[in-house]
C-alpha cells in the first residue's frame, strides 16, 4: 500500500487532491495484485492502467496550466519532465 504523508503536501489544495487521487489509483492496483481470491484480473488491470494513464495526463496538463498562469520559475524544465513521462505512459 501507498500512504500519503503530510510531507507530500504542496500547499496547493487542488494539486494535493489530485496527488491523493493518484495514490488511490495506485492503491487500487496494489489491492488487486494482493487479492488471491480473484483468478481473472485482466479486465481490472486494463481499467486501472487506463485510469492511471488518463488521470496522470490530466494532472500533468492541469499542473502545467497552473504553473504557466503563475509564471512559475523552472516551468520549462518541469514541462519537459512531464512530456517525457507522458511519452512513457503512452508507450
Amino acid at each position: 500500500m501507498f500512504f500519503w504523508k503530510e510531507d507530500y503536501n504542496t500547499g496547493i489544495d487542488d494539486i494535493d487532491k489530485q496527488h491523493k487521487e493518484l495514490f488511490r489509483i495506485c492503491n487500487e492496483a496494489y489491492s488487486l495484485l494482493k487479492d488471491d481470491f480473484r483468478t481473472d484480473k485482466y479486465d481490472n488491470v486494463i481499467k486501472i492502467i487506463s485510469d492511471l494513464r488518463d488521470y496522470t495526463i490530466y494532472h500533468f496538463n492541469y499542473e502545467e496550466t497552473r504553473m504557466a498562469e503563475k509564471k512559475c520559475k523552472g516551468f520549462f524544465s518541469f514541462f519537459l519532465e512531464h512530456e517525457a513521462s507522458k511519452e512513457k505512459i503512452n508507450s
Side-chain angles (χ1 to χ4, degrees):
M1 295 293 283
F2 303 94
F3 299 98
W4 183 261
K5 297 177 186 174
E6 292 302 311
D7 293 348
Y8 300 153
N9 284 325
T10 64
I12 305 167
D13 290 340
D14 48 349
I15 298 294
D16 290 337
K17 187 183 291 185
Q18 290 178 15
H19 288 164
K20 289 174 184 176
E21 176 62 10
L22 290 167
F23 269 66
R24 188 200 63 73
I25 296 168
C26 290
N27 282 324
E28 185 179 345
Y30 183 82
S31 293
L32 181 63
L33 173 71
K34 293 299 185 179
D35 186 348
D36 294 332
F37 296 105
R38 275 198 196 167
T39 55
D40 182 8
K41 299 178 182 183
Y42 180 82
D43 289 338
N44 298 94
V45 168
I46 296 301
K47 182 184 180 318
I48 290 169
I49 290 171
S50 177
D51 289 350
L52 185 58
R53 180 194 62 227
D54 294 347
Y55 199 82
T56 299
I57 291 170
Y58 160 76
H59 170 67
F60 283 172
N61 290 337
Y62 184 87
E63 272 188 339
E64 291 163 10
T65 300
R66 289 282 311 264
M67 290 182 80
E69 288 171 354
K70 302 276 185 193
K71 298 179 178 26
C72 292
K73 188 176 181 178
F75 169 75
F76 188 68
S77 61
F78 201 77
F79 173 78
L80 291 177
E81 281 183 42
H82 277 180
E83 287 303 303
S85 296
K86 288 178 200 177
E87 283 182 33
K88 283 183 184 179
I89 289 167
N90 284 319
S91 67

